Amino acid sequence: MSTSKSTDVLIVGSGISGLSTALLLPDNINILIITKDKLEDCSTAWAQGGIASVLSETDSYDQHISDTIKNGHGLVNKDIAKLIIENGPLCIKWLEEIGVTFNCDNQNQLNLTLEGAHSHRRIAHVNDETGRIIHQKLKEKVLLKKNINILSQCQIIDLISTKTNGFDSCIGAYIFDKYNQNVFSISADKIILATGGASKIYKYTSNPRTSTGDGIAVAWRAGCRVVNMEFIQFHPTCLYHPQIKSFLISESLRGEGGKLFTPSGDRFMHKYDSRAELASRDIVARAIDHEMKLNDYKNVFLDITDLPSNFIKKRFPKIYEKCLSVNIDITRERIPVIPASHYSCGGVMTDVMGRTDIHNLHVIGESAYTGFHGANRLASNSLLECLVMSKMCSKYITDGDIKKNHKTSLPSWDDSFVSDSTEKFIISHNWDELRKIMWNYVGIVRSNKQLKIAQDKIELIEKEINEHYYQYTISNDLLELRNIIHVSKLIIQSAIERKESRGLHYSIDYPKISNKYQKNTVIKGRKNNYELKLVKFRV
Ligand code: SIN
C-alpha cells in the first residue's frame, strides 16, 4: 500500500515558473516542489537567448505589444500581452535583486540584443546562457527557504479531484518515486503545474529530455481544456552533428549578424522574406525546411565568421566551446544547423492567475495557454511570460485563503493486481516510433493525409501502451510515454481542426490564412476516474 503526504502548495516542476512561484509565496505557506530528475533538468536551464522586455528609452510597451501581436498572426490576447509586457521591467529588476547580472555596456547600461521579428533591441541576456544563470540564482534562493521542501526524482502520474458544490476541485496527486520505485499520494490545498512544454515528442528537438508535456497531459486527463496545441514552434537553428543532440544555436547569433547558407554556399532567406534571417521563426524554419526538402540537403549552415573572433568568444562562450568540442571553430567555419522542435505555444487553458477549469489547480509557464503567444511565439517572450505568470499566480494564492494543515485522505494507489513486465522493449520501441511519426507526419509542413496517417499509427501505439499501463508495474519511461501519446493526439486533433495555414501551423491542403479560423482550437478535457469514491482506479 502506498504512503501519503500533505502540503499547503504542491508545485510540480522546477524551471523558472515553479521556482519563482515558490519564492514569491509567503514564508508561512508550506510548499513542496517535486521534480522528475534534478532541479536543473528543465528547459529554463537550457535557454540561451534571454528575456524580452522594454528596457531602453527608445523602446516602448506599445511597440513590444505590437510586435507580439503581429507575430502571433491574429490569435494573441491583447489584454494578456499588455499585462505581461508591462510587468516585464519589474520582473527583470526582481531577477537583478536575487543576483542575476545581465550583460551591460561600458556605461553600465543593459546590453540588449536583437532577435527575429523584434522591432527593437530588447533582449536582456547573460552571454549565451541566460537560462542557466537565472536558474542557478533561483535555485540558490529556494534552497535557503525553510518553508520550501524539494523532492527530486519524483514524477506526477495523475491528479486526484473531487466534486465540491458541483465543481471539480483538485485535492492531490499520485506521484511515482523513481528512486524507490514506489507510488505515493500528496494532498494539497493548491496544486501548480509548471512542467514545461512537450518538444521531446519530436525526433529533433532543442529541449532537454524532460520536456514530455506531463502537465498538459495530466491536466487534460483531469478534465481541463487545452488550447492551440497545433502551434508547435520549430527553432530554425539547432546544431546538426552526429555526436551532439539537442543543442541550440541561439537566434541571437542571427540578431548579431549571422547569415544562413545552403550547402552549395548560397544565401536563401531573402527569397522568403524581406527581413531575411531576422524574419519570424515560423518563416525562417519553413524556409530551411523547404530548401532541405527541395534539394535533399541534410542541413543548412549558419555563418558568423564576419564578426570579430574576440566578440564571438566573449558573447557566445558556450556555443563556441560546444562547437569546438566537435572541431567546429565558429569564428572561422560555418555551423551546420537544422530546425528542431522548440516550444509549445498551446497548452492548458488558464486565466491571468494561472487558474484552470478545475478549482485549486493552476498551470503556469510553457504548459499553460494564456493567449500571449497566439499562433507563433516571439523570441524570448517565454521567460518573460513565466516570470509574470509566477507573480500573478503567487499573488492570487497569497491574497486568497489557504487552508492550512488540511488532511484530506486520498485513495491509496492500488497496484496489487499488476506484475512486472517481461517486455520492456515495448516502451523504448514506441518512444522512438512516436517521435519519428511526429517528426515525419506532424512537423513543420503538414497535410490532411499525413495527419490522418499519424493519427492512425498513434491510436495503435496508444492501445498497446494502455494495456501495458494497466497490466504492469509503472516506470518513468512508461509514464512519459503515456503522456507524449496523449499530447501527440491533442496536437494532431488540433492540427486537423485548423483548416488553414496560420503562424506555426502550415498545411499544404489549406495554404492560406482564413478569417473563419481566426479563433482558438479548444479541446475538451477528458475526465479521468481518480475521484475519491474509487479505490481500484487503475482497472
Ligand atoms: C534562442 O536563444 O534562440 C532561443 C530564445 C527563445 O526561444 O526565446
Side-chain angles (χ1 to χ4, degrees), residues 48-49 115 235 248 250-252 281 342 377 379-382:
Q48 296 178 352
E115 287 180 334
H235 195 290
L248 188 71
S250 174
E251 187 152 326
S252 43
R281 273 196 193 161
H342 182 63
R377 180 183 64 98
S380 290
N381 260 357
S382 45

Side-chain angles (χ1 to χ4, degrees), residues 324-338:
L324 203 59
S325 76
V326 286
N327 298 320
I328 302 167
D329 179 350
I330 65 171
T331 64
R332 295 191 297 112
E333 292 164 84
R334 291 178 177 170
I335 313 165
V337 290
I338 48 161

Side-chain angles (χ1 to χ4, degrees), residues 157-173:
I157 302 172
D158 267 317
L159 296 163
I160 309 170
S161 61
T162 187
K163 277 250 188 274
T164 319
N165 302 328
F167 293 108
D168 288 326
S169 193
C170 193
I171 50 170

Side-chain angles (χ1 to χ4, degrees), residues 112 136 205 237 249 276 303 330 468 489 496 505:
L112 303 170
Q136 195 179 38
T205 174
T237 58
I249 304 295
D303 188 346
I330 65 171
H468 209 89
K489 286 183 66 178
I496 288 173
H505 173 72

